[in-house]
Amino acid sequence: MDTMRLRNFVEQIWDGDIVPALTEYIRIPNKSPAFDPEWEAHGYMREAVKLMECWARDRLPHGATLEIVQLPGRTPLMLIEIPGASEDTVLLYGHLDKQPEMVGWADGTGPWTPVHVGDKLFGRGGADDGYAMFAALSAILALREQGVPHARCVILIEACEESGSPDLPFYVDHLAARIGEPSLVICLDSGCGDYDRLWLTTSLRGMAAGTLTVRVLEEGVHSGDASGVVPSSFRILCELVARLEDPHTGAIRPAELFVQIPPKRLEQAKDAAVILGASLHSKFPFAGSTRPVTGDLAELVLNRTWRPQLAVIGIDGLPAPQNAGNVMLPYTTARLSLRLPPTLPGAETGALLKRLLEDAPPYESEVTFSGGEAASGWNAPALSPWLEEAVARASEAWFDQPPAYMGEGGSIPFMAMLGEKFPTTQFVVTGVLGPHSNAHGPNEFLHIPTGKRVTMSVASIVADHFARPG
Ligand SMILES: [Zn+2]
């Protein structure tokens, strides 16, 4: 492979074709179905699919096929099949649905307003995960352009990832014959610790969520009359949450929600902490003098990748402060989102949480935990020697630095699905979601140079996959 030529090809296709296409893609508010139940009527998803389809069709390599598959009542899925010099399959994955808007976008920017400043393209969905289709196809085109052989490649882009990929299992079944049995999966929907090297995601957390409601009254009453007689629903809610999470440390309490962290992962967490240093926490927009939960950097890595942690992501039953009268409120509701260790079976946590939160309610108040969702995480199988070398070569060639390995705190349901289905498959899970890129939050950006280098890395890893021994 001529690395200079590959670099030039990727630079050109990104600057000339991909950045303009992503700019248009950012304008489309194609929120994932969980955030836009009317997505089908709105037609934005169709528009986003069309944009990617047109781009890809214009550039499809010889013999390749592209199909938009849509099962009744489900989000569409884009499938590109590129024949190769062997029947062995590489599966490349990304998604095109988006998170909702969020508040806090800087002046002059917004989720659906693409702004290109220097190395960054701001706007919703460019980095998470619109770039994936463009990067995956361009990587193969870069190999084709100089006749470097590769295995058969299948690019699969789904449209419900941000809703937890509920449609994907149906597509995986429906398309089983065409997906085949990949010996390598490349997932382009993950993060990177910095923009200086290739980062491989070694694990993803699972998640369990549910809505906790504490009801103490049939209707609100004067707080001067009732406080001290009627227990506060807010206080009971806090007490129940404290069954799950230590309010002083944020540590999750039930031992059943922890797993034994594999020694290799402990070692990699220490290495990642050394590489990243204080940027592990300084990348977050802390208010005032707020500090992280601990100063021990390796512990922070493990907290966000291998330990269960709680976030209260929504609250109801409370009026906005400007409308708040002196009233004891009839109920308080909170949406609880619990990240789970990678190897903990997600499905079993729902019943555990329900029992923990509903049993023996304080003051015999009405407590319900409902609307539960759960998904398992994923722990990467050990890398084959050829892949470990390919990853090292890619990182050295395109980033001038050795690669790094770290777990990610988020979830990609498809990886758990594939890991279960293909236990011997090798995985490269990587992405462009680095410091401040802020997927899901305001001011999301795509770091364009990283997008290019990830594309080059995919190309050389796919080439090395074909050339691997045995
Ligand atoms: Zn994503």
Side-chain angles (χ1 to χ4, degrees), residues 95 128-129 161-162 189:
H95 66 88
D128 181 15
D129 183 39
E161 197 275 344
E162 301 292 3
D189 184 32

Side-chain angles (χ1 to χ4, degrees), residues 183-185 198-202 264-265 268 378-392 403-405 424-429 461:
S183 54
L184 175 64
V185 170
L198 181 62
W199 285 85
L200 243 60
T201 300
T202 53
K264 178 95 180 164
R265 299 296 182 235
Q268 288 170 335
W378 171 81
N379 183 31
L383 289 192
S384 294
W386 76 263
L387 183 55
E388 199 159 357
E389 280 165 33
V391 167
Y405 294 86
T424 60
T425 297
Q426 290 281 289
F427 285 82
V428 171
V429 179
I461 290 169

Side-chain angles (χ1 to χ4, degrees), residues 363-378:
Y363 309 101
E364 294 176 58
S365 53
E366 262 181 52
V367 173
T368 55
F369 184 70
S370 60
E373 275 174 52
S376 298
W378 171 81

Side-chain angles (χ1 to χ4, degrees), residues 135-147:
L137 183 55
S138 303
I140 314 299
L141 292 173
L143 295 178
R144 289 275 179 135
E145 189 266 338
Q146 51 175 292

Side-chain angles (χ1 to χ4, degrees), residues 93-99 127-130 161-162 188-190 411-412 433 439-440 444:
Y93 164 84
H95 66 88
L96 61 79
D97 55 316
K98 299 176 185 175
Q99 278 280 318
D128 181 15
D129 183 39
E161 197 275 344
E162 301 292 3
L188 296 177
D189 184 32
S190 194
S411 312
I412 308 173
L433 302 176
H440 300 202
E444 174 182 344

Side-chain angles (χ1 to χ4, degrees), residues 119-372:
D119 284 343
K120 297 171 184 163
L121 177 61
F122 288 88
R124 177 64 80 231
D128 181 15
D129 183 39
Y131 89 101
M133 191 287 294
F134 300 98
L137 183 55
S138 303
I140 314 299
L141 292 173
L143 295 178
R144 289 275 179 135
E145 189 266 338
Q146 51 175 292
V148 176
H150 59 81
R152 171 177 178 269
C153 291
V154 176
I155 302 175
L156 186 155
I157 307 293
E158 65 155 317
C160 63
E161 197 275 344
E162 301 292 3
S163 306
S165 296
D167 296 340
L168 202 53
F170 298 92
Y171 283 113
V172 169
D173 284 348
H174 181 69
L175 301 169
R178 291 166 70 184
I179 293 171
E181 197 157 323
S183 54
L184 175 64
V185 170
I186 298 180
C187 167
L188 296 177
D189 184 32
S190 194
C192 48
D194 58 27
Y195 301 112
D196 299 331
R197 69 207 85 228
L198 181 62
W199 285 85
L200 243 60
T201 300
T202 53
S203 63
L204 296 158
R205 283 193 291 185
M207 73 151 252
T211 300
L212 179 63
T213 294
V214 177
R215 193 173 280 280
V216 294
L217 290 165
E218 297 297 336
E219 59 191 13
V221 294
H222 194 304
S223 64
D225 187 21
S227 63
V229 178
V230 176
S232 150
S233 60
F234 182 79
R235 179 168 64 81
I236 295 173
L237 185 109
C238 293
E239 188 181 333
L240 293 174
V241 170
R243 292 179 180 179
L244 179 58
E245 178 195 59
D246 182 328
H248 301 292
T249 63
I252 294 300
R253 287 185 149 143
E256 304 94 305
L257 292 172
F258 288 78
V259 299
Q260 186 84 39
I261 305 174
K264 178 95 180 164
R265 299 296 182 235
L266 287 170
E267 205 181 290
Q268 288 170 335
K270 283 193 192 121
D271 292 344
V274 170
I275 294 174
L276 295 175
S279 74
L280 265 169
H281 52 78
S282 63
K283 68 176 184 171
F284 294 109
F286 282 106
S289 51
T290 310
R291 44 188 177 73
V293 299
T294 165
D296 184 325
L297 298 177
E299 283 298 293
L300 288 180
V301 173
L302 293 171
N303 274 354
R304 71 179 278 280
T305 57
W306 277 91
R307 297 201 177 112
Q309 300 286 344
L310 180 69
V312 176
I313 58 171
I315 199 132
D316 200 3
L318 299 165
Q322 63 272 23
N323 294 325
N326 292 314
V327 172
M328 289 224 56
L329 299 162
Y331 73 94
T332 307
T333 290
R335 180 79 179 163
L336 307 183
S337 161
L338 188 70
R339 296 288 175 177
L340 303 172
T343 51
L344 191 82
E348 287 159 32
T349 54
L352 184 149
L353 288 177
K354 197 167 168 66
R355 226 181 313 117
L356 181 79
L357 297 166
E358 285 185 353
D359 273 6
Y363 309 101
E364 294 176 58
S365 53
E366 262 181 52
V367 173
T368 55
F369 184 70
S370 60

